[in-house]
Amino acid sequence: MPVYERGYTHWESTGGRTYPPWWVIARRGITEPLRSRWFLLLLVLAWIPAVVKGTIIYVKARTGNLLDLLGGGWASLSGDGVLAFIEGQRFFVFLLMAIVGARLIAMDRRDNGLALYFSRPLGMFDYIAGKTLIVLFYYLCVTLFPVYALCVFGYLVSAGTTGVNTLVVIPLQTTLFCLFAGVGMSLVLLAFSSVGKRTIFITVWWTILFMGSEAISALFAAGGFNWLEFLNFAGQYHNAGSLLLGTEPRLDIPPVVSMFLTLLYAVLALLILRRFVRPVEVVS
Amino acid sequence: MDSSRDNVNRTDQGQTDTRIVVDDLTFAYLRDPVLQGVSFTLQKNAIGLLGPNGSGKTTLLRALLGHLRVPPGKVSVLGLDMAREARSVRARLGWMPERGGVIEGMSGVALVAYMGELAGMPTRDAMQRAHEVLHYVGLADERYRPCQTYSQGMRQRLKLATALVHDPQWLLLDEPTSGLDPKGRVAILELVGDLAGHKGFGVILSTHLLADVEAVCREILVLREGKLLAHQSVTADTARRQVFEVEGFGPEEAFLTALRAEAVSVERDGRLILVTLDCGGDSDDEVAGGEGRTSEDGVGQDDHLRTAAGARRILAVAQRTDYAPRRLRRRPISLADTFYELIDTNESR
């Protein structure tokens, strides 16, 4: 029996809810890595620092200020403590973003997926926004969400004595910072992903940018060339974050300069994405 | 959430213009023009897009999809200008790319449902449709397997399913039988033929395999070096002229002389005399939608009548010249004959 005799019926909509394409792309991209046990394990590991910090907060709340030395600023729920916690998470940020983000556009380019996406009623904004949300979500998973949890936990264990600062101000400031840094880093990673078709090379470049730039900048700083700290990619975000969280600068360069640099990264990333995210590849 | 794409459902559209109109389209990727002054109007039908490699077939399909920036008024699909309303048109077009087009890491059903949702279908509808169309294309048993484990034939069917999931008005198929074994090729062509012939889809089949077009298409667009050489029905040449093989005995020179007065051309092919007769058929009428009467075996009854009339003309000449034919047979004109004649004629200009 020819296959077509199995029948074909035209589609009649049930009138259900439809979602914008960027949301469909983001939802699928966010749920896909969660099928891997290793990835879930990594997420659990990424929350261990938050659990440790929560434990310290709990013990401090029970024993007064006796344990202030334990954990220092890192263990507090001040702006400084939150930024220190997020800085401490940068290894997990690097790893999760590399695992999730490096392949996002590269695989689509390799499989001619861009033409497939753009044969649907969606535009470049939908595509890039959807992909950015995927990376951003996992960035927030190991930075913002633990801070939220710690703020609520800290408020509860202090029986409300920390007031609105822990429950409102710090979460708001952290949200602002994490969205700023998360979107910026996500765009840069996606720009990397869009220029190549092999995930391994993109991961290598991301490693050089994220970890290598920090190492190089630390070497220069050790040699007295502190002004070369502008080479530190991730450090720029944290330094700029000191403006948003009202803390001391993280680097020896003004936070405003870091803010400008991070915005420049984002603009460059968008220009690269605009160049490479196309349904039709132009080859000379 | 996004009402602009809610009208994907064909029953809601209330739209009457189902044509594709291209008007004097010229396009260049860099400096060299890939399409030059291409103009045509397509009614919903099975249309073969033919041309040698690099003739602009894929570029033309991409222009129809709105992937290329073209000036307003040059490409209109379903009555909408692709320069302005490409996104809403794409909700009603199904696209099957030649290479790639399968996102690895997803199961077949997940990929098709995902594509349905991206086309603006509700989540539940998309999943239900994904199962239906995968069943239709013959992948029901393999739908939960990861795409990367699919064979080439299964991948082609999967791509057809992703093109079909949102129930588009037109299907744009780029080399759908590329890399398939004969059995897989027949299966895909059967599906395409069924979609165009019985399910009301307009189909544009871009290929350089003439047999594929001959099997399922009713019209052809022939491109060469970015120019449209012809837009005619597949059977236009059959309707326009007939070639008969004649063999016999008697006063052959007199027979040939008399034939030359009747026929378009008379040639020798070994022992055979090849007589080409002008039937007076009008290919433009056929493109405009005339389907002719068709017998059960799929051959037009008009065609049988034309063959009989042609044979009678030759026999009348033979009778007048006392030539005794012992063989009189109509030689079929294949699409390949038509295609190469078009290409050669263009080359010689």
Side-chain angles (χ1 to χ4, degrees):
Chain A
M1 182 177 74
V3 284
Y4 63 77
E5 286 183 13
R6 291 169 183 159
Y8 177 91
T9 48
H10 290 295
W11 171 52
E12 296 283 345
S13 175
T14 57
R17 193 177 184 185
T18 60
Y19 296 94
W22 57 264
W23 173 250
V24 176
I25 293 170
R27 193 184 59 200
R28 185 240 154 194
I30 287 168
T31 52
E32 195 198 355
L34 297 175
R35 284 182 293 172
S36 160
R37 286 181 193 170
W38 292 109
F39 189 81
L40 286 173
L41 182 66
L42 186 62
L43 275 181
V44 171
L45 286 176
W47 271 67
I48 287 177
V51 172
V52 171
K53 183 164 176 159
T55 308
I56 294 170
I57 289 168
Y58 178 77
V59 173
K60 276 170 75 175
R62 291 291 171 210
T63 60
N65 291 330
L66 284 176
L67 290 179
D68 258 2
L69 291 174
L70 182 61
W74 181 83
S76 75
L77 278 176
S78 63
D80 204 38
V82 165
L83 191 55
F85 171 77
I86 292 172
E87 276 183 300
Q89 290 291 84
R90 66 185 178 283
F91 175 70
F92 292 111
V93 166
F94 155 75
L95 208 56
L96 282 168
M97 287 179 88
I99 292 171
V100 173
R103 63 203 297 273
L104 278 180
I105 300 180
M107 291 283 278
D108 285 344
R109 286 194 65 205
R110 198 192 68 187
D111 298 336
N112 199 22
L114 289 179
L116 199 63
Y117 276 104
F118 290 109
S119 68
R120 308 282 144 171
L122 61 89
M124 192 186 289
F125 168 79
D126 295 298
Y127 182 81
I128 293 174
K131 298 286 183 182
T132 306
L133 272 178
I134 298 166
V135 188
L136 178 65
F137 175 79
Y138 285 107
Y139 174 82
L140 299 181
C141 263
V142 294
T143 53
L144 183 63
F145 299 160
V147 170
Y148 280 165
L150 285 170
C151 287
V152 173
F153 182 71
Y155 182 79
L156 291 176
V157 295
S158 68
T161 55
T162 54
V164 292
N165 192 47
T166 308
L167 209 56
V168 179
V169 179
I170 292 293
L172 274 178
Q173 285 178 319
T174 314
T175 304
L176 199 62
F177 166 66
C178 286
L179 286 177
F180 164 75
V183 170
M185 288 185 190
S186 302
L187 286 174
V188 172
L189 177 57
L190 289 178
F192 271 120
S193 183
S194 71
V195 296
K197 294 183 182 176
R198 295 192 64 180
T199 309
I200 185 73
F201 291 131
I202 292 149
T203 310
V204 168
W205 281 110
W206 177 243
T207 308
I208 291 169
L209 182 72
F210 203 102
M211 306 300 272
S213 68
E214 187 177 338
I216 290 167
S217 136
L219 276 177
F220 279 124
F225 299 100
N226 287 0
W227 60 274
L228 282 173
E229 280 183 325
F230 75 85
L231 292 174
N232 184 346
F233 170 73
Q236 301 309 316
Y237 290 95
H238 299 136
N239 199 38
S242 64
L243 267 184
L244 301 170
L245 286 160
T247 66
E248 287 296 308
R250 283 353 214 198
L251 303 174
D252 281 344
I253 51 176
V256 179
V257 174
S258 294
M259 180 77 82
F260 172 76
L261 279 174
T262 51
L263 290 174
L264 188 67
Y265 296 155
V267 171
L268 284 174
L270 282 171
L271 288 175
I272 292 170
L273 286 167
R274 192 180 156 83
R275 168 72 181 81
F276 287 99
V277 177
R278 290 178 175 187
V280 181
E281 286 192 35
V282 181
V283 287
S284 56
Chain B
M1 282 175 84
D2 190 357
S3 58
S4 68
R5 290 181 319 289
D6 285 350
N7 58 354
V8 176
N9 184 353
R10 71 173 55 215
T11 57
D12 295 342
Q13 288 162 17
Q15 130 206 339
T16 51
D17 192 350
T18 57
R19 294 177 308 158
I20 290 178
V21 181
V22 173
D23 180 24
D24 193 23
L25 176 64
T26 298
F27 181 82
Y29 282 117
L30 294 168
R31 284 178 195 158
D32 299 328
V34 184
L35 296 172
Q36 300 179 61
V38 174
S39 301
F40 57 80
T41 299
L42 303 178
Q43 301 286 350
K44 256 192 182 179
N45 207 342
I47 294 123
L49 182 54
L50 293 171
N53 290 335
S55 57
K57 301 190 295 290
T58 301
T59 302
L60 179 58
L61 286 186
R62 284 177 167 167
L64 297 181
L65 273 168
H67 284 176
L68 309 177
R69 282 189 184 173
V70 294
K74 296 289 179 187
V75 181
S76 156
V77 178
L78 305 170
L80 300 170
D81 187 354
M82 290 305 281
R84 296 194 182 91
E85 297 174 90
R87 278 180 69 158
S88 49
V89 174
R90 283 203 292 261
R92 300 169 211 172
L93 295 178
W95 158 249
M96 181 177 169
E98 178 187 3
R99 64 177 182 89
V102 171
I103 299 172
E104 295 190 357
M106 301 178 87
S107 67
V109 71
L111 175 65
V112 177
Y114 180 49
M115 286 296 133
E117 273 198 87
L118 284 177
M121 297 174 79
T123 308
R124 187 176 291 184
D125 284 20
M127 184 51 79
Q128 190 177 333
R129 276 287 293 179
H131 286 282
E132 285 174 15
V133 293
L134 283 169
H135 195 260
Y136 172 71
V137 300
L139 285 179
D141 295 337
E142 292 85 12
R143 62 194 146 162
Y144 296 112
R145 272 174 52 183
C147 297
Q148 62 267 29
T149 65
Y150 281 18
S151 68
Q152 181 65 17
M154 288 158 72
R155 278 173 183 248
Q156 294 299 95
R157 290 183 193 203
L158 180 64
K159 286 195 275 183
L160 184 59
T162 59
L164 278 174
V165 62
H166 55 298
D167 198 23
Q169 304 256 340
W170 280 87
L171 284 171
L172 310 182
L173 312 177
D174 195 1
E175 306 279 4
T177 58
S178 174
L180 295 184
D181 59 25
K183 196 177 167 192
R185 182 174 155 261
V186 167
I188 285 283
L189 290 177
E190 273 183 351
L191 284 168
V192 175
D194 180 53
L195 289 166
H198 304 108
K199 304 297 189 286
F201 285 89
V203 174
I204 298 181
L205 176 67
S206 167
T207 182
H208 57 268
L209 299 175
L210 301 172
D212 287 3
V213 172
E214 210 159 21
V216 296
C217 294
R218 302 183 71 89
E219 292 175 29
I220 51 169
L221 286 168
V222 183
L223 284 175
R224 183 184 166 83
E225 292 171 357
K227 291 176 185 164
L228 184 67
L229 294 189
H231 173 206
Q232 62 185 50
S233 91
V234 170
T235 55
D237 269 11
T238 312
R240 199 164 48 223
R241 62 194 176 95
Q242 297 172 318
V243 179
F244 286 92
E245 296 171 353
V246 187
E247 189 186 356
F249 48 88
E252 197 169 287
E253 279 310 312
F255 177 60
L256 289 174
T257 309
L259 269 181
R260 285 192 182 102
E262 284 275 335
V264 173
S265 75
V266 179
E267 300 168 41
R268 277 221 161 263
D269 183 10
R271 287 183 307 163
L272 299 176
I273 300 168
L274 296 184
V275 185
T276 304
L277 294 178
D278 189 350
C279 305
D282 190 344
S283 61
D284 290 340
D285 288 347
E286 296 200 10
V287 169
E291 293 187 357
R293 290 166 290 167
T294 308
S295 64
E296 282 181 5
D297 61 0
V299 180
Q301 287 179 9
D302 291 344
D303 197 46
H304 285 313
L305 293 174
R306 277 195 293 268
T307 305
R312 274 198 300 273
R313 283 168 69 186
I314 292 171
L315 289 173
V317 173
Q319 193 176 18
R320 278 205 313 271
T321 56
D322 288 333
Y323 185 79
R326 66 179 177 196
R327 170 182 173 148
L328 177 59
R329 174 181 170 270
R330 182 170 167 194
R331 178 181 277 191
I333 300 173
S334 70
L335 184 60
D337 296 328
T338 307
F339 177 73
Y340 290 117
E341 191 180 314
L342 280 166
I343 296 288
D344 293 343
T345 308
N346 182 260
E347 250 178 10
S348 63
R349 275 175 196 167

